[in-house]
Amino acid sequence: MTPTVIAQISDPHLKPPGVLAYGAADTAAALRRAVDLLNRLDPRPQAVVITGDLVDEGASSSYDVLRGILVGLAMPFFMVPGNHDHKDRLRAAFPDHGYLEGFIEPGGRRAMCFCIEEFSLRLIGIDTVIPGEHGGGLNAGRLQWLDRALAERPSAPTLVFMHHPPFASGIGHMDGEPFIRREELAGIIRRHPQVERIACGHIHRAFSRRFGGTVATVAPGIGMQLDLDLRPEAPSVFVLEPAGFLLHVWTDLWGEPTLLTHVGTIPEQPGRYRGPYPFFDVVSPT
Ligand SMILES: [Fe+2]
């Protein structure tokens, strides 16, 4: 089969025009580089999913910057909200992205949950934002929505995208707010084995683990990376390592349908890294 390639980027944290994030990170330039690199990939991804913290402070002018950059993507893109996002302003900036309507919960809040059915991989986005909170979670309505959505197409290989990982990261300052109702989410995922991957953001650093009987991955950041400091007392700081992205590839290499997740980096200048060099002089020393 022809592989289905879905790119994931996360946490661009855009600011209003001309403003550096936290006085240091040119997040708009980083996102432009990401768009340029994704457009040049061969094979080109069929779609891009951006897993939240699209902007940093929820300002409309930041969403205008976001739109101005993302419209440069050569393929469709889909967004889930993060804790730094303002959902009404996000919707206002992307009126052509109907899936952002999600559904309205009792009490009038919007849950930006959606299914995208047009690819060989089914894409589901779930909204883990708790208003006013840095940490994330789900409630009964969103869990039911997910359970029903997964039950609709039990044989469709599925990627579930969400901003907050439903597990701790090992980076101390990010683990103070346990994900609400994570055990129930794990139970739902376990009941729907067509979920090939749970793909998250929020941590600004790539890592993976088992969750609910599937594989969960966390994408690196676009705007900035959290320092790889696994001490419980790790301070909340970021470093300007190269940004990164994930490529989720649904393929049947070696006759086995499977979802591969590759990690790529986005250099600050194209061609910054030396290479490529041939890599085949030694096959297997005997
Ligand atoms: Fe973030």
Side-chain angles (χ1 to χ4, degrees):
M1 71 177 165
T2 304
T4 300
V5 182
I6 306 295
Q8 179 190 359
I9 57 176
S10 199
D11 295 80
H13 283 259
L14 292 191
K15 288 289 199 178
V19 178
L20 296 180
Y22 307 93
D26 188 346
T27 54
L31 185 59
R32 282 191 202 96
R33 287 193 292 271
V35 167
D36 182 56
L37 187 148
L38 294 174
N39 285 344
R40 287 186 287 107
L41 287 177
D42 183 10
R44 183 181 275 175
Q46 281 95 330
V48 179
V49 180
I50 309 150
T51 39
D53 286 358
L54 305 159
V55 306
D56 192 60
E57 294 174 289
S60 293
S61 58
S62 302
Y63 286 112
D64 292 341
V65 176
L66 178 74
R67 184 179 179 93
I69 298 173
L70 292 182
V71 294
L73 280 169
M75 64 293 280
F77 61 94
F78 307 95
M79 301 169 284
V80 296
N83 50 288
H84 283 259
D85 287 304
H86 188 290
K87 293 187 208 173
D88 289 341
R89 294 176 195 150
L90 168 60
R91 282 184 65 231
F94 293 89
D96 48 333
H97 284 234
Y99 64 89
L100 289 175
E101 291 187 13
F103 61 91
I104 302 297
E105 301 178 316
R109 283 187 181 139
R110 185 177 302 279
M112 284 183 165
C113 301
F114 58 85
C115 301
I116 305 296
E117 313 285 5
E118 64 198 77
F119 305 103
S120 302
L121 268 174
R122 191 177 191 218
L123 311 181
I124 291 182
I126 51 176
D127 180 348
T128 57
V129 175
I130 303 170
E133 299 288 333
H134 177 262
L138 292 167
N139 56 26
R142 296 180 198 188
L143 287 163
Q144 283 171 11
W145 180 91
L146 177 64
D147 199 18
R148 279 201 290 262
L150 290 170
E152 284 170 6
R153 295 186 61 198
S155 46
T158 300
L159 262 163
V160 175
F161 291 94
M162 52 202 286
H163 178 66
H164 297 88
F167 41 77
S169 67
I171 298 176
H173 62 92
M174 294 298 284
D175 291 344
E177 302 135 329
F179 189 96
I180 306 297
R181 301 180 89 145
R182 58 195 178 281
E183 298 90 352
E184 290 161 82
L185 174 63
I188 289 170
I189 299 299
R190 202 176 294 281
R191 286 201 298 278
H192 299 282
Q194 80 269 25
V195 176
E196 291 283 343
R197 196 74 82 251
I198 295 179
C200 311
H202 188 56
I203 307 296
H204 295 231
R205 182 160 286 285
F207 69 103
S208 56
R209 58 157 272 179
R210 182 204 306 250
F211 180 83
T214 190
V215 175
T217 51
V218 178
I222 287 293
M224 62 283 277
Q225 315 302 318
L226 288 191
D227 196 19
L228 181 55
D229 183 344
L230 300 182
R231 296 172 301 152
E233 68 275 23
S236 176
V237 294
F238 66 83
V239 290
L240 295 177
E241 292 177 16
F245 64 101
L246 301 184
L247 278 186
H248 303 288
V249 183
W250 178 244
T251 180
D252 61 353
L253 293 171
W254 291 5
E256 179 187 19
T258 192
L259 184 66
L260 308 172
T261 294
H262 285 271
V263 185
T265 55
I266 303 168
E268 289 182 15
Q269 300 149 21
R272 171 178 171 166
Y273 302 119
R274 293 162 61 191
Y277 301 107
F279 183 38
F280 50 70
D281 281 354
V282 176
V283 175
S284 178
T286 55

